[in-house]
Amino acid sequence: MDKKQFIEAGKVVNTHGVKGEVKIQVWLDSPEFLKKFKTVYIDNKAIKLVSGRVHKGFLIAVLDGVEDVNAAMSLKNKTVYIDRKDARLPKGAYFLQDIIGAAVVTEDGESVGTLEDILETPASQIYVVKGETEHLIPAVDEFIVRVDAENAVVTVRLIEGM
């Protein structure tokens, strides 16, 4: 499975103040993670992330060349990307997009299907797996045995009725 070079990191949801700051809803693990990047990409254009701070779960960012509220407003609703090669992930960590399309198998090696989507819920993520039937599998240790993002295989432990 080919991995995309650019990862969706979030979306500019609004401006912040009058000096050109933008408010980014972050789709990564945390706004702090995105804040560490020196460059982000919007509309296939590299933009230097001059500075950022976390405010109420959002990243308030100063982007190079975005000098006023009008320039910031032009970015509203645009998707923000990061380059995979700039990311420093802890050992064993992976991007969720790297397992979309992964084969899902049981501990015995039986095929369950393909991981089609990941739903975000307050309790946990839910893996939507489509095979002969559709399975909704909570992404918790009781059900997810192993995630091999490199080889695109997710090993699960199913219970009766799942």
Side-chain angles (χ1 to χ4, degrees):
M1 191 162 72
D2 288 334
K3 293 181 181 177
K4 294 180 184 174
Q5 179 181 354
F6 294 98
I7 309 289
E8 290 185 0
K11 176 177 159 182
V12 176
V13 293
N14 214 339
T15 61
H16 187 83
V18 296
K19 295 183 179 176
E21 292 178 307
V22 294
K23 182 177 182 180
I24 301 173
Q25 176 185 32
V26 179
W27 299 337
L28 303 171
D29 284 351
S30 70
E32 289 84 2
F33 182 76
L34 181 57
K35 185 172 111 172
K36 294 176 186 175
F37 286 79
K38 292 179 177 26
T39 305
V40 296
Y41 299 83
I42 299 175
D43 290 338
N44 296 317
K45 181 180 161 196
I47 301 173
K48 182 179 178 194
L49 179 58
V50 176
S51 68
R53 67 185 187 284
V54 178
H55 179 69
K56 296 184 179 180
F58 292 88
L59 179 65
I60 307 300
V62 175
L63 302 175
D64 189 40
V66 181
E67 306 293 331
D68 59 30
V69 70
N70 293 326
M73 186 59 86
S74 72
L75 298 175
K76 189 172 178 180
N77 294 319
K78 301 244 180 192
T79 301
V80 177
Y81 295 85
I82 58 171
D83 191 329
R84 174 186 299 279
K85 69 178 172 36
D86 295 337
R88 306 270 183 268
L89 295 178
K91 184 175 169 110
Y94 53 87
F95 291 109
L96 293 179
Q97 81 172 30
D98 290 345
I99 61 170
I100 301 289
V104 179
V105 299
T106 66
E107 293 172 287
D108 300 330
E110 291 180 44
S111 176
V112 177
T114 303
L115 181 63
E116 296 288 329
D117 197 8
I118 300 173
L119 307 176
E120 296 285 340
T121 69
S124 71
Q125 295 170 335
I126 306 289
Y127 290 176
V128 179
V129 179
K130 293 189 179 167
E132 289 182 22
T133 61
E134 182 175 88
H135 296 273
L136 300 175
I137 304 172
V140 295
D141 292 343
E142 291 82 6
F143 301 113
I144 307 300
V145 176
R146 183 174 39 263
V147 175
D148 182 353
E150 197 62 37
N151 295 306
V153 177
V154 176
T155 306
V156 298
R157 179 179 303 117
L158 299 179
I159 59 172
E160 194 169 326
M162 223 173 174

